[in-house]
Structure formats: structure tokens, C-alpha cells
Amino acid sequence: MIKFFTRIGLIIAVFALTLISPALTFGQVVADHDHHHCGYDPGPEEIERLETNLRMAENLEFRRSGNTIYVPIKFHSINRLDGTGGVREPDIINQMCILNEAFGRYNIQFFMKDRSINYINNNAAFNNASLATAILSGARDNRALNVFFAQNTTSGGGGGFTLGYYDPSNDWVVVRNDRVNSTFVLAHEIGHFFSLQHTFFGWEQEPWDEDIHGNPVMQVIAPGGFNQVELVDGSNCTSAADRICDTPPDYNFGFGWSAGGGCGPFNIEVYDRNEDLIEPMQNNYMGYFLNCPDYEFTPTQVDVMVADFMSSSRSHLREGFGTPSTGVIDAGEIVALNPTDGEESDFHDEVTLVWEAAENATYYYLEVSELPFFGLNMMVEKFVDGTSYTLTDLDELEFYYWRVRPLNDTYYCADRSPTFSFITSDVGVSVNEISESEFSMRLHQNPVPSGTDPSVIINNEYGVQNVRMEVFSVDGKMLMSSEKNIPMGPHQRIHLHTGVLDAGMYYIRMASDKMQRVEPFIVH
């Protein structure tokens, strides 16, 4: 037999994994001394709730129907007092994509309640959410599964740091900021939210060690002091460990297991007191093996979660929401309608962005920046209902860049749209006093053949206009500017006299003190 970690070796291994592995993704604590604690600390009421749900699951017609359940979730981003340091909307969107892909196979889907994220700016809660219960209570949404992201957390069971935990007394989940977008942490804690226990329940603070527990493991009660040690033959599966019979025994073998990055084959022969070989389910969401390529819940675990959702204590999650929007979304369908990509806006102090709707999208996440690579200089980061958004007070003759990410209530995995750009004009919104029917402009030819002097056709029903005519390249460089008097009358052709233009895209702007018109054209 291969000897398992000694207790000191166990802690060293886990500490090393904490330093090198970004996917140490379970609700556990790496302790300062000789043991660790799980962030979730269940009491007798939680075991009673689990057992009630197990009885209810035996007659759960809803599960047999194959219908999907929809769970409202409210995310809270805890920041420093100055509003910095917390997770942002793109992080949450990605987390929702991961979460719904993980639970979709079990006909469980989550949707963001109110299509929004709550921001809490408080230094005490940011530094340690578990010591700021009053602040979290004030933000809690009573009609959702509440998930708080914080910089630091501690467990209810000892020192070190906690990656995530479910708090039964307040019925909320807390996750460290650096575990957002984990494939495991939030799913694990949601399992606790829906009454699931660890597969190794009772072994949290003292994982199996051959020097301590022997091999075969002869003890009847797990180190936690009240749970039976589960047997391979299933004879005590309803009263031992997690009380679930399709999860095999696990004596917290995953804690400190380093083979294969944390989920390599468990090749140690450990036997129970019947001398049956224990083969833990390493990729179970409620275990502690790390970096498994595809975690799973067992059928009974899923039935328990659904039973908990359907219980009277969870009615606040079911009633009054209607059916959330669904369907796969392709962001590649989105094009900019106004201003079109690279076009000059009509005004600088009021620019309405309009884009073509993506199929199945019911809202969007809009990002606007002064730089094409976006980043920390974002001007707008906002969830938007519909397919338009109005920007105000932009600088004159400046380039701006924007993109949207299409969403619906259950699909968060679409890519962002292409990045679109526009240049603002130097005209304010109050200038456009003349309607299009009174004064309009179009290119005589568009595209314009190379070597041809561009010309425009003007219909002027307003009266004599003294206008300034300008031609710009797509990067905003002015190539021509002249003043012209436009007499009243229809179908007037005016040559621009730009000289020879290289092939490419250009803009012509015609402006007076009462109106502005902009048209793009192409030379080829």
C-alpha cells in the first residue's frame, strides 16, 4: 500500500497548492496550524433539512417531468469605500455562463434578478465579509439566492482563509473575489445552499491519515464526532456522511491530493472496516479533489436540490417571476446602425447608439471607451434593455469606441460584438433646426470611381443657406473645407473639388448655424 500524507505533509501540500494553483476551488480553509476547516458549518437543522428533502425527492414528480427550474440569483460586489477592488459586470456575466453550463445538464438554470448587480462600498465588508453581517443583511434581496463577492472571508471554524462558504443562518453565499469564474467554488456553495453536504461529511477537520485512522478504517464514528463512517456496501448510506446513497464513501481524500494537479487517479488502496476497497467519486462537486476536468452532481444530489427549491421554505424563489427568456445567442449578428461604424455623429453632445438586435437577446451589456482596447478608462459599463443608448456631453471631433454583449435571462455565453467606432461632430444638438425634408444631401455617386471628383445632390426647400462643406478621412483628418451659398431649389449638384482621393472610406459634412448633414462615401 502507498502511505498517504502525514498530517504535517498534508498541510504543506495544501499550502503549496494554494500558492501555485488558481483552481483551489472549494469552500475550505488552509489553516495556520495542523488542520483546516470548511467555510460551511452546518448545524442539526441543516441535517434535518437534508433528510426532509431526501424524503420529498422520493416522490418528486417535477424531477420526472424533465421541466427546467429557474432560480433567481442576486450578485453583490463588495468594494472599498471608494468603489474600487470589487468584481465587475463582465466577471459576473462570465460566472453566470459557467454556472448555467454546469447546471444546465440537470435542468436547473439561474437568472440575474432585476438584470443588475448590487454594489456595496464599505471597507469593513470588503476586508472581511464574515465580520460585516449587518452590512450584508442590509443589502440582502429577500427574493433571490444572494451571492456576495468579497476580497477576504473567514470561516466559522478557525484561522486561515476561506475561498467560499454558505451561511445557513443568513441563507447567503460568500465567495472570494479571486474565485469569481471558478468552475467549482460557486457551484459547490450553491450545493450547500440547496442542503447538500460534503461527500466526506464528518471528516472536514481531520482528513484520513493512515497513521491516525488505520487501514482498514475500523472506527464507526467519523472524526467530526457524530457522523457514522460510511461503508462501501451502502448498508449505512442513509445515515452516514452526506446521507446520499449514490455518492460513494470519501474520507476527505481530496484534501491535499496533488496527483494530476489535484484530480489524478486516487491510487491508494484504502479499505473500510468490512475490508471493502474505497473508490471515491473524485469529480463530485461536493468533494475536495481539485482541477477535475468535468465535475458532476449525482442523480440523488440533483433530486435533493430540486426538492429544496420546491419546498415551502423556498417559495420566495419560485413565485412571481414568470418564465425567463432563453435561447442561444450569436453576437456576430450585431451591426452598428447609428452611427454606422466609423461614421461621424450628427452632434457631439447627444449621440444615440443604435445596434441591430441579436436573435434571442433580451438585453445587452454596453461598453464605451475613448480607446479601442477598452480597459480601465471605460466611460460606460451598463446593462441596457433594448438596442439603443444615448450618450451625452462628449468632446467635439473625438473618436469613441463601443461594443455590446448580447444576453438573455439564462444565456450568458455569447461573445462581445465587434468593436464599433464613431467620431463626434463639432455641432451641438440645438443646431439642427432644419428638418431633412427641408434640406437634404446625398452623394451623386457612392461608391465614387477612383479619379473622379465627388459631387453631392442637394434639395433645399428651406431657403438660401451659407454652408461650410468639409471632407474627412476615416481617421478624422480634414482633407477639404470650403464655404458655399446653396440657393433654394431641388436637385442641385455641387462638386467638392477634393482632388484625387485614394481608395477608402471618407465623410462629407455640410453645416450651417441651423443644421448639419453628414454622409459617408467610398472611393474605389
Side-chain angles (χ1 to χ4, degrees):
M1 297 180 187
I2 301 173
K3 192 176 184 69
F4 200 48
F5 300 102
T6 64
R7 185 175 299 195
I8 294 175
L10 182 67
I11 297 303
I12 291 173
V14 173
F15 182 70
L17 280 170
T18 306
L19 294 178
I20 66 175
S21 174
L24 184 60
T25 53
F26 47 82
Q28 75 167 51
V29 171
V30 179
D32 297 325
H33 303 295
D34 63 349
H35 62 274
H36 75 285
H37 305 274
C38 174
Y40 170 55
D41 188 15
E45 314 81 29
E46 292 307 298
I47 307 308
E48 182 180 346
R49 180 161 71 104
L50 167 64
E51 292 173 344
T52 298
N53 288 334
L54 278 164
R55 291 191 295 271
M56 181 178 174
E58 293 177 0
N59 300 301
L60 196 64
E61 294 299 327
F62 190 91
R63 166 52 53 194
R64 299 190 185 101
S65 74
N67 292 334
T68 298
I69 66 172
Y70 298 99
V71 183
I73 189 167
K74 189 68 177 183
F75 289 102
H76 307 265
S77 173
I78 304 177
N79 297 258
R80 300 183 186 91
L81 186 61
D82 63 4
T84 64
V87 300
R88 288 294 181 262
E89 288 94 341
D91 302 313
I92 298 299
I93 293 170
N94 292 336
Q95 179 68 84
M96 283 295 293
C97 172
I98 292 168
L99 195 63
N100 277 349
E101 284 194 331
F103 281 82
R105 73 187 99 169
Y106 309 117
N107 293 329
I108 299 173
Q109 293 286 268
F110 301 86
F111 64 94
M112 283 200 297
K113 185 175 181 290
D114 304 322
R115 296 178 177 177
S116 65
I117 297 165
N118 181 47
Y119 287 93
I120 302 170
N121 298 336
N122 183 280
N123 288 336
F126 178 81
N127 291 326
N128 194 337
S130 61
L131 300 180
T133 302
I135 295 167
L136 272 60
S137 294
R140 184 181 185 275
D141 191 313
N142 292 326
R143 299 206 59 217
L145 189 174
N146 288 268
V147 177
F148 294 86
F149 279 98
Q151 182 70 9
N152 295 301
T153 60
T154 60
S155 75
F161 68 90
T162 307
L163 301 179
Y165 64 88
Y166 167 58
D167 181 345
S169 61
N170 291 295
D171 201 32
W172 62 48
V173 168
V174 179
V175 177
R176 282 174 62 95
N177 287 344
D178 58 9
R179 299 299 141 175
V180 69
N181 297 331
S182 160
T183 59
F184 187 40
V185 170
L186 186 53
H188 179 102
E189 301 308 333
I190 287 175
H192 287 319
F193 176 87
F194 285 126
S195 79
L196 294 181
Q197 302 301 312
H198 293 137
T199 54
F200 52 84
F201 188 36
W203 294 84
E204 282 84 354
Q205 297 194 31
E206 191 175 291
W208 177 82
D209 182 330
E210 186 171 351
D211 289 342
I212 299 172
H213 309 104
N215 193 1
V217 179
M218 300 305 295
Q219 63 193 79
V220 176
I221 301 299
F226 61 91
N227 260 347
Q228 295 181 37
V229 173
E230 187 173 9
L231 300 173
V232 172
D233 65 10
S235 59
N236 66 346
C237 64
T238 60
S239 56
D242 62 359
R243 280 41 171 196
I244 291 178
C245 290
D246 59 1
T247 60
D250 183 344
Y251 302 165
N252 203 358
F253 300 126
F255 185 78
W257 187 250
S258 60
C263 199
F266 185 70
N267 55 3
I268 299 172
E269 294 183 359
V270 183
Y271 295 86
D272 68 10
R273 64 178 178 269
N274 293 333
E275 297 192 0
D276 290 328
L277 179 66
I278 300 170
E279 299 180 76
M281 182 180 176
Q282 293 179 243
N283 67 334
N284 193 284
Y285 274 111
M286 303 312 295
Y288 267 14
F289 285 93
L290 309 180
N291 300 324
C292 297
D294 187 19
Y295 287 97
E296 296 180 7
F297 292 107
T298 65
T300 303
Q301 285 177 318
V302 174
D303 286 349
V304 166
M305 289 191 288
V306 174
D308 191 75
F309 176 79
M310 298 301 293
S311 68
S312 59
S313 65
R314 296 292 187 207
S315 62
H316 61 287
L317 300 179
R318 302 192 306 270
E319 298 171 358
F321 292 105
T323 302
S325 54
T326 62
V328 175
I329 304 170
D330 181 6
E333 301 173 356
I334 298 174
V335 296
L337 300 179
N338 183 75
T340 58
D341 189 23
E343 180 184 4
E344 182 174 350
S345 62
D346 291 335
F347 313 107
H348 66 82
D349 52 354
E350 184 177 294
V351 179
T352 299
L353 304 178
V354 183
W355 56 92
E356 189 167 343
E359 185 178 3
N360 295 324
T362 53
Y363 68 117
Y364 299 81
Y365 183 66
L366 170 67
E367 297 170 295
V368 182
S369 173
E370 294 178 284
L371 298 174
F373 46 82
F374 297 85
L376 298 177
N377 62 316
M378 304 289 277
M379 297 170 52
V380 176
E381 299 175 275
K382 186 177 182 65
F383 290 109
V384 176
D385 291 322
T387 57
S388 65
Y389 184 80
T390 298
L391 305 170
T392 57
D393 300 324
L394 303 181
D395 294 331
E396 299 179 17
L397 301 175
E398 291 289 341
F399 272 97
Y400 292 89
Y401 302 87
W402 61 284
R403 62 191 181 188
V404 294
R405 188 169 183 177
L407 310 165
N408 62 40
D409 290 327
T410 58
Y411 191 78
Y412 299 84
C413 296
D415 293 330
R416 293 179 173 93
S417 71
T419 296
F420 307 117
S421 67
F422 66 91
I423 184 173
T424 52
S425 74
D426 59 357
V427 178
V429 69
S430 61
V431 169
N432 236 25
E433 300 175 5
I434 303 175
S435 68
E436 286 282 344
S437 63
E438 294 174 307
F439 190 100
S440 64
M441 174 186 72
R442 63 177 175 82
L443 271 295
H444 178 250
Q445 286 182 292
N446 195 5
V448 177
S450 179
T452 302
D453 182 31
S455 61
V456 294
I457 303 297
I458 294 173
N459 291 303
N460 179 12
E461 302 297 335
Y462 182 84
V464 176
Q465 286 287 299
N466 186 352
V467 302
R468 184 175 70 257
M469 302 184 70
E470 300 168 330
V471 174
F472 294 87
S473 62
V474 72
D475 62 1
K477 181 180 180 181
M478 184 184 294
L479 304 177
M480 183 276 290
S481 177
S482 65
E483 300 284 335
K484 292 186 180 293
N485 281 315
I486 309 298
M488 187 172 179
H491 202 73
Q492 301 180 61
R493 182 174 178 180
I494 298 177
H495 290 274
L496 301 182
H497 303 297
T498 59
V500 176
L501 296 175
D502 294 332
M505 189 173 193
Y506 300 87
Y507 298 92
I508 177 173
R509 176 171 63 187
M510 184 175 294
S512 72
D513 59 349
K514 294 185 178 180
M515 65 85 194
Q516 175 180 249
R517 303 291 182 261
V518 178
E519 289 291 332
F521 66 95
I522 295 173
V523 175
H524 74 152

